[in-house]
Amino acid sequence: MCTIRCLVAFAVKKGWSLFQLDVNNAFLHGDLDEEVYMKLPPGLNVTSNVQPSSIFVCKLQKSLHGLRQASRQWYAKLSTALCSRGYVSSLNDYSLFIKKSANSTVFLAVYVDDIILTGDDHAEISALKEFLNDQFKIKDLGLLNYFLGIEVFYDNSGVILHHRKFIADLLREFGCAYASTVVFPLELGVKLTSDDGELLPRPDSYRSLVGKLNFLTHTRPDLCFAVQHLSQFLKCPRVPHMNAALHILRYLKGTPDFGVSLNTSSDFSLLAYCDSDWAACSESRRSVSGFCITLGGSFISWKSKKQSVVSLSSAKAEYRAMSKVVAELVWLVCLLTDLGIPSVSPVPIYCDNLAALHIAKYPVFHERTKHIEVDCHFIRTKLADGLISLHHICTTSQLADIFTKCLTGGQHHLLLGKLGGLILQLEGGVGVT
């Protein structure tokens, strides 16, 4: 999804049109390169003179939906067809195909059977549509407007990616269409544990809800921390966990029009913020890392995730969060280079912990760094290479704070206003929160 956001943001800034295609019965186009057998489908009766105890199977000649090899074989068939027309798969994301010449550029991104096309060569785009239709039979859906459940809204300032319809359906499904609204995703000071409260009689409903909330985070960065927190209890969900998830639905009811704004600015510079909440988990005492990255003012990447090890100090927790955003930037710079965006180094990274910045910039504090040696070397290497530059920022201006902890309603919406990538679509127009 980060690749999709990058491609859409790039096309919007270039002023290119975005087209959408859908492949009919994509998995049925795959060719099997091995022998695969399946049980007889229900209702198919086979008569034979062999012994009644014999078991009959079907030998597949083509790929089928539900087959483990289906997606891989479909991708192989599609990539072979595209390569025959001069397209090259990006080494940084194999679902992105590129065709460049002296005076034209065309990009194709594929997500299973959904395809996004964009570029500055409309003749090649039209020819590619005809070629794909001859090969696979496609539906030309015109301009990109609804992709993988994400709605695309166009206005003079750019493109807005949002989930308004998905949220409305979600509220109806879980009986929250008429619930009262709240102003923040999780209650301030809520302490959820794995063994607090009664077990849910239907744990599948909780897992389904959290899974759908996780899908919403593709256009709703403000939900990331709450969703990652609730995802820790999928194995054995309890009543307090479900109540917290329903609290998020009440928040969504009051903010159904929030989304990610991708602007038309000609600025292609990257900017990153990283933060950490030390020992946030009351059970494991592991910290939560959070970061967000913008491309010329457009939000393209964000994450909230509990760290895999216990950090012995807040500086180490912040440093580990910094290593995650540096790793993401290394990949993003390579991906944007494939899109044709020249690398503008160094990429500024803003952190609100001075100790973590000193550890990264200077080869000192041996006692503090001996437990994070690999992270130290990684960040210092990228700093020495000139890929990144590190800067201090006050905590009140730290945008990544929203990805690491519960905030009050006022502070939550204050950060949303500073994020700039979260917008509010009003009836008859678009207004910024």
Side-chain angles (χ1 to χ4, degrees):
M1 292 306 301
C2 183
T3 301
I4 296 295
R5 287 191 295 266
C6 286
L7 180 61
V8 174
F10 176 74
V12 169
K13 289 177 178 294
K14 286 287 189 178
W16 295 348
S17 297
L18 289 153
F19 302 99
Q20 181 179 358
L21 310 176
D22 180 73
V23 182
N24 296 327
N25 300 316
F27 285 172
L28 302 183
H29 294 289
D31 296 321
L32 296 177
D33 53 9
E34 56 188 327
E35 288 191 4
V36 180
Y37 300 90
M38 63 171 282
K39 294 179 181 179
L40 295 181
L44 178 60
N45 297 318
V46 178
T47 59
S48 176
N49 295 327
V50 298
Q51 297 179 359
S53 59
S54 299
I55 299 176
F56 292 92
V57 295
C58 296
K59 181 180 179 180
L60 298 184
Q61 303 297 329
K62 297 283 288 184
S63 177
L64 281 179
H65 288 278
L67 196 65
R68 291 184 179 180
Q69 296 92 333
S71 58
R72 182 173 68 249
Q73 297 306 119
W74 154 241
Y75 173 81
K77 188 73 174 282
L78 176 64
S79 60
T80 300
L82 291 173
C83 289
S84 69
R85 282 192 60 86
Y87 286 80
V88 178
S89 176
S90 169
L91 296 178
N92 299 292
D93 191 328
Y94 293 114
S95 64
L96 178 65
F97 293 86
I98 306 166
K99 184 177 182 180
K100 292 184 179 180
S101 62
N103 52 9
S104 72
T105 303
V106 176
F107 297 101
L108 181 148
V110 56
Y111 194 101
V112 190
D113 59 348
D114 292 295
I115 294 175
I116 294 179
L117 264 177
T118 188
D120 57 2
D121 189 345
H122 288 277
E124 168 60 22
I125 291 176
S126 299
L128 179 60
K129 289 180 181 180
E130 294 180 4
F131 171 77
L132 292 176
N133 188 56
D134 292 338
Q135 294 286 320
F136 308 112
K137 301 302 179 186
I138 64 169
K139 294 178 185 176
D140 187 350
L141 303 177
L143 290 178
L144 181 67
N145 60 80
Y146 191 77
F147 186 77
L148 303 176
I150 298 174
E151 297 173 74
V152 182
F153 178 82
Y154 297 87
D155 75 339
N156 295 331
S157 63
V159 162
I160 301 163
L161 307 179
H162 64 98
H163 272 110
R164 184 172 184 173
K165 180 180 181 299
F166 185 87
I167 291 173
D169 295 339
L170 191 60
L171 292 174
R172 284 194 296 268
E173 180 182 353
F174 288 90
C176 294
Y178 300 100
S180 59
T181 61
V182 293
V183 294
F184 41 81
L186 280 183
E187 291 187 64
L188 187 65
V190 64
K191 299 293 182 181
L192 298 176
T193 60
S194 58
D195 55 359
D196 183 27
E198 297 181 3
L199 291 172
L200 280 177
R202 293 180 55 208
D204 288 348
S205 62
Y206 176 82
R207 294 168 186 148
S208 173
L209 176 54
V210 173
K212 292 177 179 181
L213 291 174
N214 189 52
F215 175 68
L216 270 177
T217 61
H218 292 320
T219 63
R220 295 294 298 266
D222 51 327
L223 300 180
C224 277
F225 172 75
V227 173
Q228 74 82 25
H229 188 53
L230 295 182
S231 297
Q232 303 173 43
F233 310 109
L234 292 176
K235 182 178 180 180
C236 191
R238 296 175 180 269
V239 173
H241 308 150
M242 190 64 178
N243 291 337
L246 294 176
H247 189 277
I248 297 180
L249 290 183
R250 294 170 59 195
Y251 169 73
L252 287 173
K253 185 177 185 297
T255 59
D257 303 316
F258 280 18
V260 174
S261 176
L262 306 176
N263 62 53
T264 57
S265 166
S266 59
D267 182 12
F268 288 97
S269 61
L270 288 169
L271 184 64
Y273 297 84
C274 66
D275 194 21
S276 176
D277 190 18
W278 181 47
C281 180
S282 58
E283 294 183 304
S284 65
R285 308 309 295 173
R286 287 190 284 171
S287 308
V288 175
S289 297
F291 70 78
C292 56
I293 302 173
T294 64
L295 175 66
S298 298
F299 260 61
I300 57 172
S301 181
W302 54 83
K303 184 175 283 292
S304 176
K305 187 176 180 65
K306 187 158 66 170
Q307 295 180 2
S308 58
V309 296
V310 176
S311 296
L312 302 182
S313 67
S314 60
K316 293 176 182 177
E318 295 273 359
Y319 203 82
R320 289 193 170 102
M322 192 186 301
S323 70
K324 295 298 181 184
V325 74
V326 172
E328 183 78 357
L329 284 171
V330 170
W331 171 75
L332 266 177
V333 167
C334 295
L335 179 68
L336 294 177
T337 301
D338 288 342
L339 294 178
I341 302 175
S343 176
V344 181
S345 300
V347 178
I349 298 178
Y350 288 93
C351 175
D352 60 6
N353 189 288
L354 283 172
L357 293 174
H358 288 316
I359 292 172
K361 291 181 178 180
Y362 312 111
V364 292
F365 299 109
H366 172 70
E367 288 298 320
R368 298 188 184 185
T369 61
K370 60 184 179 182
H371 299 294
I372 50 174
E373 182 179 6
V374 175
D375 291 329
C376 278
H377 289 312
F378 174 63
I379 296 177
R380 287 174 182 168
T381 298
K382 299 306 174 184
L383 189 62
D385 291 343
L387 177 69
I388 61 171
S389 63
L390 302 176
H391 307 272
H392 181 258
I393 190 172
C394 63
T395 302
T396 55
S397 301
Q398 175 57 273
L399 302 188
D401 206 34
I402 200 172
F403 299 101
T404 61
K405 59 179 69 71
C406 296
L407 301 172
T408 62
Q411 182 66 14
H412 179 81
H413 284 273
L414 176 64
L415 282 180
L416 289 188
K418 290 183 177 180
L419 282 173
L422 287 177
I423 56 85
L424 178 62
Q425 180 184 336
L426 302 175
E427 293 185 6
V430 176
V432 180
T433 57

